[in-house]
Short mmCIF file of all heavy atoms in Angstrom, two decimals:
data_model
loop_
_atom_site.label_atom_id
_atom_site.label_comp_id
_atom_site.label_asym_id
_atom_site.label_seq_id
_atom_site.Cartn_x
_atom_site.Cartn_y
_atom_site.Cartn_z
N SER D 223 -11.21 -36.39 14.25
CA SER D 223 -9.83 -36.56 14.71
C SER D 223 -9.65 -35.91 16.06
O SER D 223 -10.48 -35.11 16.50
CB SER D 223 -8.89 -35.89 13.70
OG SER D 223 -7.58 -35.86 14.19
N LYS D 224 -8.54 -36.24 16.71
CA LYS D 224 -8.15 -35.58 17.96
C LYS D 224 -7.28 -34.39 17.57
O LYS D 224 -6.46 -34.52 16.65
CB LYS D 224 -7.29 -36.59 18.74
CG LYS D 224 -7.53 -36.61 20.23
CD LYS D 224 -6.37 -37.33 20.85
CE LYS D 224 -6.88 -38.46 21.71
NZ LYS D 224 -5.80 -39.25 22.27
N THR D 225 -7.44 -33.28 18.25
CA THR D 225 -6.56 -32.16 17.94
C THR D 225 -5.21 -32.35 18.65
O THR D 225 -5.10 -33.13 19.59
CB THR D 225 -7.20 -30.82 18.37
OG1 THR D 225 -7.57 -30.94 19.74
CG2 THR D 225 -8.40 -30.48 17.52
N VAL D 226 -4.23 -31.59 18.18
CA VAL D 226 -2.86 -31.71 18.71
C VAL D 226 -2.63 -30.60 19.75
O VAL D 226 -2.92 -29.44 19.46
CB VAL D 226 -1.83 -31.53 17.55
CG1 VAL D 226 -0.41 -31.68 18.05
CG2 VAL D 226 -2.14 -32.50 16.42
N PRO D 227 -2.13 -30.95 20.96
CA PRO D 227 -1.92 -29.87 21.94
C PRO D 227 -0.75 -28.97 21.55
O PRO D 227 0.22 -29.44 20.94
CB PRO D 227 -1.61 -30.63 23.24
CG PRO D 227 -1.13 -31.97 22.81
CD PRO D 227 -1.77 -32.27 21.49
N PHE D 228 -0.84 -27.70 21.90
CA PHE D 228 0.24 -26.74 21.63
C PHE D 228 1.45 -27.06 22.52
O PHE D 228 2.59 -27.06 22.06
CB PHE D 228 -0.26 -25.31 21.91
CG PHE D 228 0.69 -24.23 21.46
CD1 PHE D 228 0.54 -23.64 20.21
CD2 PHE D 228 1.72 -23.79 22.27
CE1 PHE D 228 1.41 -22.64 19.79
CE2 PHE D 228 2.59 -22.79 21.87
CZ PHE D 228 2.43 -22.22 20.61
N GLU D 229 1.13 -27.31 23.80
CA GLU D 229 2.21 -27.57 24.76
C GLU D 229 2.97 -28.82 24.34
O GLU D 229 2.38 -29.86 24.05
CB GLU D 229 1.61 -27.76 26.16
CG GLU D 229 2.63 -27.59 27.26
CD GLU D 229 1.99 -27.57 28.64
OE1 GLU D 229 0.76 -27.76 28.75
OE2 GLU D 229 2.75 -27.38 29.61
N GLY D 230 4.27 -28.73 24.29
CA GLY D 230 5.08 -29.87 23.88
C GLY D 230 5.39 -29.88 22.40
O GLY D 230 6.15 -30.72 21.92
N SER D 231 4.79 -28.96 21.64
CA SER D 231 5.00 -28.94 20.19
C SER D 231 6.05 -27.92 19.76
O SER D 231 6.37 -27.84 18.58
CB SER D 231 3.69 -28.62 19.47
OG SER D 231 2.74 -29.63 19.73
N PHE D 232 6.56 -27.13 20.70
CA PHE D 232 7.49 -26.05 20.33
C PHE D 232 8.78 -26.12 21.15
O PHE D 232 8.75 -26.44 22.34
CB PHE D 232 6.85 -24.68 20.59
CG PHE D 232 5.96 -24.22 19.48
CD1 PHE D 232 4.68 -24.75 19.36
CD2 PHE D 232 6.38 -23.29 18.56
CE1 PHE D 232 3.85 -24.36 18.33
CE2 PHE D 232 5.57 -22.90 17.52
CZ PHE D 232 4.30 -23.42 17.40
N PRO D 233 9.91 -25.79 20.53
CA PRO D 233 11.14 -25.65 21.30
C PRO D 233 11.13 -24.33 22.06
O PRO D 233 10.39 -23.42 21.67
CB PRO D 233 12.23 -25.60 20.22
CG PRO D 233 11.53 -24.98 19.05
CD PRO D 233 10.10 -25.44 19.11
N ASN D 234 11.91 -24.22 23.13
CA ASN D 234 12.04 -22.91 23.76
C ASN D 234 13.03 -22.08 22.96
O ASN D 234 14.03 -22.57 22.48
CB ASN D 234 12.49 -23.02 25.22
CG ASN D 234 12.31 -21.70 25.93
OD1 ASN D 234 13.14 -20.81 25.80
ND2 ASN D 234 11.20 -21.54 26.63
N ASN D 235 12.69 -20.82 22.81
CA ASN D 235 13.44 -19.94 21.92
C ASN D 235 14.40 -19.02 22.66
O ASN D 235 14.93 -18.08 22.07
CB ASN D 235 12.41 -19.07 21.17
CG ASN D 235 12.73 -18.95 19.72
OD1 ASN D 235 13.55 -19.71 19.22
ND2 ASN D 235 12.13 -18.01 19.04
N ALA D 236 14.58 -19.28 23.96
CA ALA D 236 15.46 -18.40 24.74
C ALA D 236 16.91 -18.80 24.48
O ALA D 236 17.55 -19.46 25.29
CB ALA D 236 15.12 -18.49 26.22
N ILE D 237 17.40 -18.38 23.32
CA ILE D 237 18.74 -18.79 22.90
C ILE D 237 19.78 -17.84 23.50
O ILE D 237 19.63 -16.62 23.45
CB ILE D 237 18.86 -18.74 21.36
CG1 ILE D 237 17.78 -19.60 20.74
CG2 ILE D 237 20.25 -19.18 20.90
CD1 ILE D 237 17.50 -19.28 19.28
N THR D 238 20.83 -18.43 24.08
CA THR D 238 21.90 -17.59 24.59
C THR D 238 23.22 -18.06 23.96
O THR D 238 23.22 -18.87 23.05
CB THR D 238 21.93 -17.59 26.13
OG1 THR D 238 22.95 -16.69 26.55
CG2 THR D 238 22.15 -18.97 26.71
N GLN D 239 24.35 -17.54 24.43
CA GLN D 239 25.65 -17.85 23.83
C GLN D 239 26.62 -18.33 24.90
O GLN D 239 26.42 -18.08 26.09
CB GLN D 239 26.20 -16.59 23.15
CG GLN D 239 25.41 -16.18 21.93
CD GLN D 239 25.85 -16.87 20.65
OE1 GLN D 239 26.71 -16.43 19.95
NE2 GLN D 239 25.24 -18.00 20.35
N PRO D 240 27.71 -18.99 24.50
CA PRO D 240 28.69 -19.41 25.50
C PRO D 240 29.29 -18.21 26.22
O PRO D 240 29.41 -17.11 25.65
CB PRO D 240 29.75 -20.15 24.69
CG PRO D 240 29.46 -19.90 23.27
CD PRO D 240 28.06 -19.41 23.14
N MET D 241 29.69 -18.43 27.48
CA MET D 241 30.14 -17.33 28.33
C MET D 241 31.34 -16.58 27.76
O MET D 241 31.42 -15.37 27.88
CB MET D 241 30.45 -17.88 29.74
CG MET D 241 30.75 -16.84 30.78
SD MET D 241 29.60 -15.44 30.79
CE MET D 241 28.23 -16.12 31.70
N PHE D 242 32.25 -17.28 27.05
CA PHE D 242 33.44 -16.56 26.58
C PHE D 242 33.07 -15.46 25.57
O PHE D 242 33.68 -14.41 25.53
CB PHE D 242 34.50 -17.53 26.01
CG PHE D 242 34.26 -17.98 24.59
CD1 PHE D 242 34.85 -17.29 23.54
CD2 PHE D 242 33.45 -19.06 24.32
CE1 PHE D 242 34.63 -17.69 22.22
CE2 PHE D 242 33.22 -19.46 23.01
CZ PHE D 242 33.81 -18.77 21.96
N LEU D 243 32.00 -15.71 24.79
CA LEU D 243 31.58 -14.70 23.81
C LEU D 243 30.92 -13.51 24.52
O LEU D 243 31.12 -12.35 24.14
CB LEU D 243 30.58 -15.31 22.83
CG LEU D 243 31.15 -16.00 21.60
CD1 LEU D 243 30.02 -16.54 20.74
CD2 LEU D 243 32.03 -15.04 20.79
N ILE D 244 30.15 -13.83 25.54
CA ILE D 244 29.48 -12.74 26.28
C ILE D 244 30.55 -11.91 27.00
O ILE D 244 30.46 -10.68 27.06
CB ILE D 244 28.42 -13.32 27.24
CG1 ILE D 244 27.38 -14.13 26.44
CG2 ILE D 244 27.72 -12.21 28.01
CD1 ILE D 244 26.44 -14.95 27.26
N LEU D 245 31.58 -12.60 27.51
CA LEU D 245 32.68 -11.88 28.17
C LEU D 245 33.42 -10.98 27.18
O LEU D 245 33.79 -9.85 27.49
CB LEU D 245 33.66 -12.88 28.79
CG LEU D 245 33.28 -13.41 30.16
CD1 LEU D 245 34.14 -14.62 30.53
CD2 LEU D 245 33.41 -12.31 31.23
#
Side-chain angles (χ1 to χ4, degrees):
S223 172
K224 219 196 234 176
T225 53
V226 181
F228 189 94
E229 198 172 4
S231 298
F232 277 78
N234 193 279
N235 223 15
I237 304 161
T238 184
Q239 291 274 271
M241 188 46 81
F242 81 94
L243 273 180
I244 301 169
L245 277 167

